[in-house]
Amino acid sequence: MKNQDKLTRLRHSAAHLLAHAVLELFPNTLLTIGPATQEGFFFDFLPEKNFTDDDLTAIEKRMHEISERDLPITHKHIPKNEARLLYKDNPFKLELIDQIPGDVVGIAQQGDFYDLCRGDHVQSTGQIKYFKLLHTSGSYWRGDKSKQALQRIKGTAFLTAKDVRTFEKRREEALKYDHRKLGKELDLFSFQDAGPGFPFFHPHGKKIINILTNYLRTLLEEAGYQEIATPIMLSDILWRQSGHYEHYKDNMYFSTIDDKSFAIRPMNCPGAILVYKNRPRSYRELPFRLAEFGLVHRYELSGVLHGLFRTRAFTIDDGHIFCTQDQIEQEVLNTIKMTYDVLNQFSFAHITVGLSTKPNNAMGSDELWQKAINALKNALEKADLSYTVYEGEGAFYGPKIEFLIEDSIGRSWQCSTIQLDFFLPENFDLSYVSSEGTKEQPVMIHRAIYGSLERFLGILIEHYKGRLPFWLAPIQIKVLKITDEQTTYAQDLLKTLRQHDIRVQIDTSSDPISGQIKTAQLQRIPWMLICGKKEAENKTVTIRYPDGKQEFGLTIEQILERALKESR
Amino acid sequence: MKNQDKLTRLRHSAAHLLAHAVLELFPNTLLTIGPATQEGFFFDFLPEKNFTDDDLTAIEKRMHEISERDLPITHKHIPKNEARLLYKDNPFKLELIDQIPGDVVGIAQQGDFYDLCRGDHVQSTGQIKYFKLLHTSGSYWRGDKSKQALQRIKGTAFLTAKDVRTFEKRREEALKYDHRKLGKELDLFSFQDAGPGFPFFHPHGKKIINILTNYLRTLLEEAGYQEIATPIMLSDILWRQSGHYEHYKDNMYFSTIDDKSFAIRPMNCPGAILVYKNRPRSYRELPFRLAEFGLVHRYELSGVLHGLFRTRAFTIDDGHIFCTQDQIEQEVLNTIKMTYDVLNQFSFAHITVGLSTKPNNAMGSDELWQKAINALKNALEKADLSYTVYEGEGAFYGPKIEFLIEDSIGRSWQCSTIQLDFFLPENFDLSYVSSEGTKEQPVMIHRAIYGSLERFLGILIEHYKGRLPFWLAPIQIKVLKITDEQTTYAQDLLKTLRQHDIRVQIDTSSDPISGQIKTAQLQRIPWMLICGKKEAENKTVTIRYPDGKQEFGLTIEQILERALKESR
């Protein structure tokens, strides 16, 4: 059995343990569901009154007690009628029972605790040793906000004590470098009551977004992309044609113009498609690569909003490539290279790659899928990448390559994707005239590198623990004067550096140098340039880094050269 | 009497002449209103059936006939009851009569034609000689689309035959260089059924928008602005506080999130205000200058949408300065200078300046207004500008400076404004801590230079007649090869120029050089670089301008130097 499977089984059992402890302490609580997740487990309850942090401590204590009892965990199937009797006072479980196919349902039992369950547990409660309850949050039955409000308790469990310690260390680091906390300290962004889930970028935050955008723009230009800008509101008719209305409307915002319904776009593809379709295209124009820094809006439950990681509005660095089937391999290879070029700028620990192939409900011929998957595999091999194949896990409209990056705290993030699409070209009747004069259908490749710029910024803040590298820092250099006698010298320095687009500021406070250093450190400024009497006389500066390291006697030319090199 | 007043009187009389002609030809038409406008006049009718272009020709002919009759135009006041009898079959006029204060209303008469009218006409129909009917369009009673749909006939009239000729010449030019036509020819942008009034920027159009944006960004940086980005959807509660909901809601789009109403922003100010308010501000931070390239959405009747000139979504180069009363003058002076710096890049014929002062319904003390107006006047005088004072024409919340630019076809456009605002700081309870530690209210200055980037682009396209100057052209240089033997040389050239961010393309068609030149001319490319055998041997190029002028034997260094100079 793989470790991941063992972990899932353990966490599933830990969810039962949690429910067991809750029922012993709060017998009138109704249980709903409690699955294992990627990071741990949760259980959604309908409690008599909401659990407090103190309750959480008590529940965790009781879980340890039940673990020590080392109760055997059994699983059996019982007739649905019997199960309905067991759950006559729990409408959630009754609903679940009705939806389970067949005449019987599974029941897991440990001591006098039982729960509706498909099975797959550890053998006894004693095997669940290494766990933590994390926090409570609001949720809804079936995740549907029109249904019963519930309370979720989240926790996690591990196979070894060491894993728990690693988890706790990471958790502490993550709390310490939480981008919401750092975002406030560094005055990068805020959230306001007037727009829950919609970030407000303050000057320094917007500066970083602009740096990320412009960096990518340069690469896009070199890679033959053409940038477009399309409307953020479009008619429902279009969203019905694209299939978004049918599959995604619960996550879309709508408005009305002249009595017709419009959606605020949740995705940018239809805009790119309309630009492609605006005039007939020839094979000579393919691959036709469109890029859009496209602002999208998607509904999220207020309970799951989480700083820049999960917002209701964000900007995708969207690329849409229209190409022939024969061009897929080269385009995907180029995209993989560009993805690595970008991600390598940020010193992530690892990048792992997955390839998702044809699912059961796929559209398009076997031949087309085979051709496309071969193209993706060839591209991955030419790029010399090892990758995991996720058989059958592609979207129904085409196979996909995903990149998982690991940050400095050891967490994994999925940002970049390359998604092939046979569906939209068909749906929008896209075509080009081939070299033989025939009308052919192009393939569409959707790809993003940052994914969401907002979320990527959040990841960078935590990954760098607030200390953005020189090229990304909103203020790269702070000039500190020992006394006001160096004011002119400091201003000359500022002027020279600014002429070369270095982002530099002078500390104009009347703080002593130690205070100025402290301020610059709190602001996570990459370089401090200290000007004293000697420096002004010799036309040099002392450079000081946030870790306290100093270099003396550098000339302005040396500083400038180094700054330009670090700025890329 | 000023010429403008004479013109208004003439155009008002021409509107009567139009209505007179319409009633003679289509006696069952109901008249509504018909005012003089900045450019001419219009009259809104409820006709039995819609007027055609042929009808327009006939109506114009009849207007000339009535003019030749030289009927005296009289004006008298009659009791309202008598007027109601006169208009018993016209519900529009009855509504107007009810709304006129007092017991009598004015009636203008010429021959057997009469119309409800405040007065101010030429003396006889013979004095209305130089006029043109322009076109018909849909309109609504009171401009309210929930009310009766009407048909508007637009026309214009002038004091002299020469003025009509100038007008017609300009009109021809404007038609020839219509940005909608050029935008399509140059593949800059499109409008699509899926988003009426929402522009789709194609690669070359988006490129120009980016150039305009980045150019301004550089100036903003130098001028001490800090760029922010705030949400485009915000809660109604905020729009009620800002007053937009009450005054502007008919032009706003709404959506719903978690059963609460949100508006798609029609203006960017509240976002900037929330950033200001995010933490306490000190006098040391003032003037606090925020810039946002803010996308706004405003409802417009579909009948008035007009290419990029009038859209339902556009981007304002918005600036919001929070400052003390004493800082107004310097900030306004800086803003005036920056406005001229920007506008002077585009070789407009004239810029005229207007200052609108305190209206009757103003908020804020006389003292504050006087101080603010003095500051604006001082700034204008320090900038050495002559200006017209529009007494009492300011908004209720503060005085305003407007700039009117005249384009190459002689039309005037209002793009840049500097608006003082005492209202929003009061409404949002904005404050800063003064040097004495007291809590004070800042003044807010709203200012835009381009106004709407989309509209400004439309103006530029027409102003330059499609031939954008080198620094603005999406493709600056096209490299043309006489034969394929020069391919390597052309590619070297391309590479060198691109390294310096020059936007250059090679013509890869198999067209003869004459055909390549024609294509580049149609694309309005500022420079063609022609590479023949001799040029490749000597490592030189021939530069050819769209007007056919050529220069021979330039080295690549010379080209590059000139290109960088022209790029600014």
Side-chain angles (χ1 to χ4, degrees), chain A residues 71 74 92 104 204 211 255 264 310 313 315 321 338 373 474 477:
Chain A
L71 304 167
T74 59
F92 309 108
V104 296
H204 285 182
I211 295 166
S255 190
I264 323 293
R310 200 132 170 200
T315 309
I321 304 173
M338 190 172 167
I373 289 170
I477 296 179

Side-chain angles (χ1 to χ4, degrees), chain A residues 145 187 192 194 201-203 206-207 210 221 227-229 232-233 235 254-255 258 278-279 299 312, chain B residues 187 192 194 198 201-203 206-207 210 221 227-229 232-233 235 254-255 258 278-279 299 312:
Chain A
K145 74 188 164 74
D187 202 7
Q192 309 281 341
F201 283 101
H202 298 191
K206 175 63 174 159
K207 178 63 82 177
N210 284 354
E221 190 100 17
E227 190 179 340
I228 57 171
I232 66 146
M233 269 173 97
S235 162
F254 293 92
S255 190
D258 290 341
N278 185 61
R279 57 181 173 81
Y299 178 70
R312 284 173 170 167
Chain B
D187 201 9
Q192 309 279 341
F198 297 138
F201 283 101
H202 298 190
K206 176 63 174 157
K207 178 64 81 179
N210 283 355
E221 190 99 17
E227 190 179 340
I228 57 170
I232 66 148
M233 268 173 98
S235 161
F254 293 92
S255 189
D258 290 341
N278 186 60
R279 56 179 174 82
Y299 178 70
R312 284 173 170 167

Side-chain angles (χ1 to χ4, degrees), chain A residues 198-460:
Chain A
F198 297 138
F200 285 68
F201 283 101
H202 298 191
H204 285 182
K206 175 63 174 159
K207 178 63 82 177
I208 307 170
I209 293 280
N210 284 354
I211 295 166
L212 290 172
T213 305
N214 288 334
Y215 166 64
L216 202 54
R217 264 196 186 129
T218 311
L219 297 192
L220 287 169
E221 190 100 17
E222 284 166 12
Y225 281 83
Q226 305 191 84
E227 190 179 340
I228 57 171
T230 65
I232 66 146
M233 269 173 97
L234 289 166
S235 162
D236 275 14
I237 297 167
L238 186 77
W239 300 108
R240 284 177 198 271
Q241 190 178 358
S242 69
H244 290 105
Y245 188 88
E246 195 185 330
H247 295 290
Y248 207 71
K249 68 169 178 302
D250 290 346
N251 290 78
M252 289 161 68
Y253 304 111
F254 293 92
S255 190
T256 305
I257 310 177
D258 290 341
D259 304 326
K260 294 192 187 87
S261 179
F262 281 67
I264 323 293
R265 68 174 174 194
M267 298 192 191
N268 303 310
C269 355
I273 287 173
L274 293 182
V275 170
Y276 180 90
K277 264 186 90 114
N278 185 61
R279 57 181 173 81
R281 302 288 171 184
S282 142
Y283 71 97
R284 284 196 203 85
E285 292 181 77
L286 306 191
F288 188 68
R289 307 181 192 93
L290 293 178
E292 178 164 17
F293 291 91
L295 177 65
V296 298
H297 287 70
R298 296 182 187 172
Y299 178 70
E300 299 278 359
L301 290 174
S302 63
V304 302
L305 296 175
H306 182 122
L308 297 179
F309 288 164
R310 200 132 170 200
T311 58
R312 284 173 170 167
F314 55 94
T315 309
I316 305 176
D317 61 316
D318 233 328
H320 292 102
I321 304 173
F322 302 84
C323 66
T324 69
Q325 292 179 24
D326 292 339
Q327 290 167 339
I328 295 174
E329 182 179 320
Q330 188 59 48
E331 288 308 302
V332 170
L333 179 57
N334 294 349
T335 306
I336 292 171
K337 284 184 175 161
M338 190 172 167
T339 302
Y340 271 77
D341 283 348
V342 173
L343 296 180
N344 284 339
Q345 299 300 316
F346 303 99
S347 13
F348 291 116
H350 296 291
I351 306 175
T352 51
V353 185
L355 169 64
S356 301
T357 62
K358 192 182 179 200
N360 283 330
N361 63 344
M363 68 158 289
S365 69
D366 276 348
E367 193 200 335
L368 177 57
W369 273 86
Q370 206 43 60
K371 195 168 174 179
I373 289 170
N374 283 342
L376 295 186
K377 286 186 173 173
N378 288 342
L380 286 165
E381 273 145 35
K382 283 193 180 161
D384 210 12
L385 294 178
S386 59
Y387 58 94
T388 311
V389 176
Y390 299 107
E391 285 297 348
E393 292 196 13
F396 75 94
Y397 49 87
K400 176 169 71 168
I401 297 176
E402 288 171 302
F403 302 84
L404 220 62
I405 54 181
E406 192 183 312
D407 71 11
S408 68
I409 317 177
R411 294 168 307 174
S412 285
W413 303 94
Q414 193 224 290
C415 299
S416 319
T417 49
I418 306 174
Q419 170 74 59
L420 258 59
D421 189 342
F422 315 133
F423 178 69
L424 288 178
E426 172 73 31
N427 242 15
F428 281 94
D429 193 23
L430 299 188
S431 67
Y432 65 92
V433 177
S434 76
S435 57
E436 282 83 39
T438 56
K439 194 178 138 183
E440 305 290 338
Q441 192 171 83
V443 170
M444 207 172 156
I445 305 174
H446 310 249
R447 71 105 198 90
I449 300 179
Y450 298 137
S452 146
L453 264 95
E454 289 77 357
R455 178 166 165 271
F456 198 78
L457 174 58
I459 293 170
L460 290 182

Side-chain angles (χ1 to χ4, degrees), chain A residues 147-160:
Chain A
K147 299 195 165 147
Q148 175 67 54
L150 302 171
Q151 205 187 11
R152 173 170 299 181
I153 298 182
K154 261 192 174 171
T156 192
F158 294 94
L159 298 169
T160 68

